[in-house]
Amino acid sequence: MQYLYSNVNGCHVLDGKFKIVSTLEFKNFDDAMDALKSGEYTPEEKKALEDNPEIMLVNPKKDNVFRDGDKRLKIIANLEKKHAIAANKRITASDLSASVIIDHTVIQTVSALEEMDKIINGLTKRLREWYGPYFPELCEKITDHQKYVELSINALENGIDKLLKELGYEQTFGAEISEPAAQAILSYAKIIIGFYDEREVMKKNLEKIMKKHYPHIEKTAGYSIGARLIASAGSLRKIAIMPSSTIQLLGAEKALFRHLVSGSRVPKHGLIVNHTSIADKKRSERGKAARMLANKISIAARVDYYRVSK
Amino acid sequence: MQNVIIDKKRIWVKAVYDKNPDFDENVDKKMDGFYRSWDARRSKLAAAMLKGVEPKIDKGANILYLGASHGYTCSYVSDIIGKSGLIYAIDFAPRVVRDLWFLCEKRKNMIPIMGDASQPQTYFHRVGLCDFIFQDVAQKNQVDIFLKNLDMFVKPNGLGMLAIKSRSIDISRKPQAVFNECRNVIESKTKLIDYKLLSPYEKDHCIFYVQKTQ
């Protein structure tokens, strides 16, 4: 009785005592590894089977030698250490580079946007503290952060008189600003404006990616919520194989586990709460709306993931 | 075990590769070389050893490690088995396998494998016969995963260890109830050598040390 066993080192023919008789090396290593991973025959195995139809193939999917624990263990003991290390590293390296897909860009963009919001907020608060004493009226009247930064740059460059009138004041009680202080504040404010611009660019990019690669999710959930759902789940594939009730509660994990542990109320919705079809509804109808939207997103995700042209 | 010193509440492993720390741990010179300190709060194997479990990991052993993560515990096991041994370190997440890959550049007795531990047939062609299996994957069906891999890769009378996190199996039940249920399954399929709770090092964790029966 002969056995045919493939591992990372090649396709081996074993004799009745499970010792290697001969070895065929893989012609195309990467393809062979893909085939072995999914339980298909490699070209070398096919050839060996043609040459000797009697031979028993050791294959996790198709063979009964495989179920016999004793024999299987004797067979896999043939893996040679030295080659195994190099070959395995090679496979892992190619697996790693193949694991980076467009989802990665979406996830990182979502995280970057979140972090940027935090940073911009902190920087602008500091600007308000810094420039506030010189022009307190502006700080008091303009509550929108981005507008405040734009106007203070304007004031520093062109003087505050015109702005003061627009705000409805005759005179300011702010301190006189010296030239070096004005320069320092101006260059600081320009950095913040740069952040705001960059954030807009990132949002536009994200929208473009969502429209191109996830058109159905983009249409049902909107690009921002869709992207955050993908980020929360980890990948599009995960959303596509997820039950829609899980999609409904993505982002509400804390509330869900609190419910499971202590029996508090069940959360009705997670991230999708920001969608207009839910946010517009009355409180009592939000649960139903969330369930429906989650159903549609689930279908959209499946279409996006399994459609033929990628 | 050779190469391992346990004194009171601390545990040290003799560095085989070089004395530079891999994870910012303390490295001390003792009588016969440099020893790396092993944090029981970061490693469940170290916690188990401090709790009194005595795993038999020989020099030159082949080890299957499921759930290797960044390779913290792996790096110590790699020191224990020495240069003649071999670890198949398996993890599912690309991010941690990246770190693992660079650790394996230094530690030549480690193999990084990116694979799903619940489907051992997908890495069947990459793993050889093993003497010892350690599992720390924190999955719902982790006992199943452990038994599958034990059956597929470990030699007869080989040893195995699995760390159970009760919260990832069922968060709403009492930890002890989860442990008892796991224990029944494990005892029906293998020979249980030791069983310990991992408090105070880990919360709601326990460890099983078993021998494969044939």
Side-chain angles (χ1 to χ4, degrees):
Chain A
M1 179 62 92
Q2 284 192 320
Y3 300 93
L4 189 64
Y5 160 62
S6 297
N7 62 19
V8 287
N9 298 335
C11 180
H12 310 286
V13 178
L14 310 180
D15 63 12
K17 285 176 183 165
F18 309 106
K19 290 276 169 284
I20 293 177
V21 182
S22 63
T23 300
L24 272 172
E25 283 195 6
F26 295 120
K27 269 188 197 122
N28 188 334
F29 185 76
D30 294 334
D31 286 356
M33 289 304 120
D34 283 347
L36 286 176
K37 192 176 177 184
S38 51
E40 312 284 330
Y41 293 155
T42 60
E44 286 75 14
E45 280 176 343
K46 276 181 198 157
K47 191 169 165 270
L49 280 171
E50 271 171 21
D51 291 350
N52 182 2
E54 299 274 290
I55 202 165
M56 291 287 273
L57 179 74
V58 186
N59 184 305
K61 248 189 187 171
K62 290 160 185 137
D63 188 48
N64 44 16
V65 182
F66 191 79
R67 302 234 158 70
D68 188 336
D70 250 6
K71 281 183 190 167
R72 187 185 60 233
L73 292 172
K74 276 176 192 153
I75 289 168
I76 63 172
N78 282 311
L79 183 70
E80 201 187 321
K81 247 190 216 177
K82 235 186 198 169
H83 295 113
I85 295 174
N88 260 317
K89 272 191 176 171
R90 192 172 152 192
I91 303 170
T92 303
S94 73
D95 278 358
L96 274 177
S97 58
S99 73
V100 182
I101 43 178
I102 191 73
D103 292 1
H104 182 252
T105 316
V106 173
I107 295 166
Q108 295 304 325
T109 314
V110 168
S111 313
L113 276 172
E114 262 170 31
E115 241 144 65
M116 233 163 169
D117 280 347
K118 254 189 229 163
I119 292 166
I120 288 175
N121 210 1
L123 291 176
T124 316
K125 270 184 189 162
R126 177 56 52 208
L127 180 72
R128 276 177 188 272
E129 292 303 312
W130 196 350
Y131 187 50
Y134 303 109
F135 195 176
E137 291 81 5
L138 188 71
C139 186
E140 180 62 30
K141 290 280 169 188
I142 308 292
T143 45
D144 182 50
H145 271 1
Q146 188 173 0
K147 209 171 170 199
Y148 178 77
V149 180
E150 281 163 8
L151 288 179
S152 35
I153 289 177
N154 191 357
L156 283 162
E157 279 177 344
N158 307 325
I160 63 169
D161 296 338
K162 202 179 153 202
L163 263 172
L164 201 60
K165 272 192 194 118
E166 276 171 19
L167 292 170
Y169 289 96
E170 286 295 307
Q171 230 183 342
T172 174
F173 64 86
E176 187 102 352
I177 193 161
S178 67
E179 187 56 29
Q183 282 304 326
I185 295 172
L186 188 61
S187 70
Y188 179 67
K190 276 183 178 162
I191 290 173
I192 304 176
I193 273 298
F195 269 105
Y196 276 113
D197 294 344
E198 184 58 40
R199 188 162 138 255
E200 285 309 306
V201 173
M202 274 166 86
K203 271 190 175 174
K204 286 238 169 68
N205 266 338
L206 184 62
E207 194 176 354
K208 243 190 239 163
I209 292 173
M210 290 299 289
K211 273 198 174 132
K212 191 177 170 207
H213 294 274
Y214 315 90
H216 296 87
I217 290 185
E218 199 268 335
K219 263 178 201 149
T220 43
Y223 80 93
S224 157
I225 294 173
R228 271 186 274 170
L229 285 174
I230 291 168
S232 178
S235 69
L236 178 63
R237 185 174 179 272
K238 279 189 186 160
I239 293 194
I241 59 177
M242 213 175 240
S244 66
S245 51
T246 312
I247 295 176
Q248 187 183 343
L249 293 183
L250 272 181
E253 283 85 2
K254 207 174 164 191
L256 175 68
F257 285 116
R258 192 172 56 220
H259 158 71
L260 288 175
V261 173
S262 67
S264 61
R265 290 180 134 197
V266 195
K268 286 198 278 290
H269 34 55
L271 278 170
I272 55 172
V273 69
N274 294 324
H275 194 268
T276 45
S277 76
I278 297 173
D280 291 353
K281 293 278 185 319
K282 276 190 289 181
R283 248 190 124 74
S284 57
E285 286 174 2
R286 283 192 184 174
K288 291 189 194 79
R291 198 191 324 140
M292 212 171 85
L293 180 62
N295 284 342
K296 299 303 172 207
I297 293 174
S298 167
I299 295 169
R302 282 162 206 194
V303 176
D304 276 343
Y305 183 69
Y306 291 106
R307 79 205 153 107
V308 183
S309 63
K310 278 246 165 184
Chain B
M1 253 185 289
Q2 292 173 312
N3 292 347
V4 180
I5 301 175
I6 302 178
D7 58 348
K8 287 171 199 161
K9 292 281 171 194
R10 303 189 75 180
I11 180 163
W12 301 84
V13 178
K14 190 177 175 190
V16 169
Y17 280 92
D18 60 36
K19 61 181 198 299
N20 298 332
D22 294 320
F23 295 90
D24 295 335
E25 72 273 14
N26 291 329
V27 181
D28 270 16
K29 195 168 194 301
K30 304 210 182 227
M31 48 279 176
D32 61 337
F34 289 95
Y35 278 75
R36 304 165 62 214
S37 80
W38 195 359
D39 188 354
R41 287 187 190 275
R42 276 181 80 179
S43 166
K44 277 153 215 151
L45 183 58
M49 281 160 80
L50 284 185
K51 291 284 279 188
V53 182
E54 288 171 353
K56 193 173 162 298
I57 305 176
D58 296 328
K59 242 185 180 173
N62 286 2
I63 300 203
L64 181 62
Y65 195 110
L66 306 173
S69 188
H70 297 273
Y72 184 74
T73 310
C74 263
S75 71
Y76 289 91
V77 178
S78 133
D79 277 340
I80 292 170
I81 60 173
K83 286 179 182 172
S84 55
L86 193 63
I87 304 177
Y88 302 93
I90 296 180
D91 206 290
F92 186 50
R95 180 64 190 86
V96 296
V97 175
R98 202 174 93 200
D99 287 354
L100 201 58
W101 208 88
F102 287 108
L103 188 70
C104 297
E105 290 220 304
K106 174 183 165 186
R107 300 183 170 273
K108 300 270 189 282
N109 60 359
M110 282 174 68
I111 295 181
I113 294 178
M114 192 163 111
D116 186 352
S118 64
Q119 294 176 329
Q121 70 274 10
T122 55
Y123 51 84
F124 173 71
H125 56 285
R126 301 172 66 178
V127 176
L129 191 64
C130 295
D131 308 303
F132 192 97
I133 172 171
F134 186 85
Q135 189 217 42
D136 174 19
V137 293
Q139 289 288 316
K140 212 167 185 178
N141 55 344
Q142 67 177 90
V143 177
D144 252 13
I145 295 174
F146 176 77
L147 292 173
K148 255 196 232 170
N149 282 283
L150 184 78
D151 178 50
M152 194 169 281
F153 298 112
V154 180
K155 68 179 186 188
N157 298 323
L159 299 162
M161 215 179 206
L162 79 160
I164 300 247
K165 181 181 177 188
S166 80
R167 274 190 249 167
S168 58
I169 292 182
D170 193 337
I171 192 165
S172 61
R173 278 159 65 201
K174 288 253 164 65
Q176 197 56 53
V178 177
F179 297 154
N180 287 343
E181 193 189 282
C182 294
R183 189 177 174 158
N184 287 338
V185 178
I186 290 167
E187 274 186 330
S188 69
K189 295 275 170 65
T190 60
K191 190 179 140 202
L192 186 65
I193 302 175
D194 210 342
Y195 158 72
K196 285 269 177 359
L197 294 177
L198 289 187
S199 63
Y201 304 106
E202 299 273 355
K203 221 174 162 188
D204 298 346
H205 278 73
C206 79
I207 202 144
F208 291 98
Y209 180 34
V210 303
Q211 186 167 29
K212 185 176 177 179
T213 50
Q214 201 72 64

